[in-house]
Amino acid sequence: MGFSSFFIKITGTDVRAERHCGLASKYVVYIVKIANGDKQWVCEKRYSDFMILDEVLRSKFWYMQVPKLPGKKYFFNFDEEFVNQRKSELEDYVKALLQVACFSQSDEMWQFLTDSSSIVGVPEELKEENDRHRAALPLDP
């Protein structure tokens, strides 16, 4: 089953910081709420997660027109107005993907929306389904 029957909304954002090699770096996390009937869960995604999904779908479905991912911005990307605009554009991007059967029913989309490392409150049956989809994906070289 594809995700086109699912309710997907980016409900918020959070600016976080982490240390890499002694340097602090900030990033934005997008809070994605997914619901289908009485099942619902929330996952956290960075812009880089959306970029990876986009690259994988473009590679796998090279013969299809993939919706345009909002562009990358290198400076002033923590500005509240910019973050809110990108949140809206990313939500539109995912919703557009879910309207196309081959994207919405792909293992890659399933993995993106059910990756247990970024989910809070995922139903148990979805965890099992996620493991099945993860096993179907090729391993990185």
Side-chain angles (χ1 to χ4, degrees):
M1 169 169 77
F3 278 99
S4 57
S5 65
F6 281 51
F7 170 78
I8 302 216
K9 178 142 184 78
I10 299 181
T11 58
T13 60
D14 188 25
V15 177
R16 298 189 182 163
E18 65 183 6
R19 290 190 112 18
H20 257 2
C21 300
L23 299 173
S25 66
K26 289 174 28 176
Y27 59 93
V28 177
V29 172
Y30 298 90
I31 314 301
V32 183
K33 182 178 181 180
I34 303 146
N36 184 13
D38 63 344
K39 295 182 181 105
Q40 60 182 329
W41 61 98
V42 174
C43 61
E44 298 178 340
K45 298 292 180 186
R46 294 175 66 166
Y47 179 78
S48 59
D49 296 321
F50 290 93
M51 283 181 55
I52 291 167
L53 174 66
D54 188 71
E55 290 171 9
V56 168
L57 292 177
R58 286 181 190 283
S59 175
K60 181 174 182 176
F61 300 106
W62 56 269
Y63 51 88
M64 295 289 297
Q65 185 169 349
V66 178
K68 184 169 176 25
L69 178 69
K72 177 92 171 147
K73 184 176 178 183
Y74 294 97
F75 301 104
F76 308 109
N77 53 349
F78 302 107
D79 173 71
E80 185 177 348
E81 183 177 333
F82 172 76
V83 170
N84 287 332
Q85 178 68 29
R86 178 176 272 172
K87 178 181 84 149
S88 174
E89 291 171 351
L90 288 172
E91 182 176 315
D92 291 345
Y93 169 75
V94 174
K95 286 180 177 180
L97 287 174
L98 295 176
Q99 295 305 309
V100 180
C102 65
F103 303 145
S104 70
Q105 296 175 10
S106 70
D107 290 331
E108 292 80 6
M109 180 61 77
W110 181 269
Q111 182 68 30
F112 178 78
L113 293 174
T114 64
D115 178 18
S116 60
S117 65
S118 67
I119 290 183
V120 178
V122 66
E124 196 60 41
E125 60 270 19
L126 290 177
K127 287 181 185 177
E128 294 167 8
E129 187 74 5
N130 185 35
D131 291 341
R132 185 180 69 74
H133 284 274
R134 186 187 326 250
L137 291 174
L139 296 175
D140 291 331

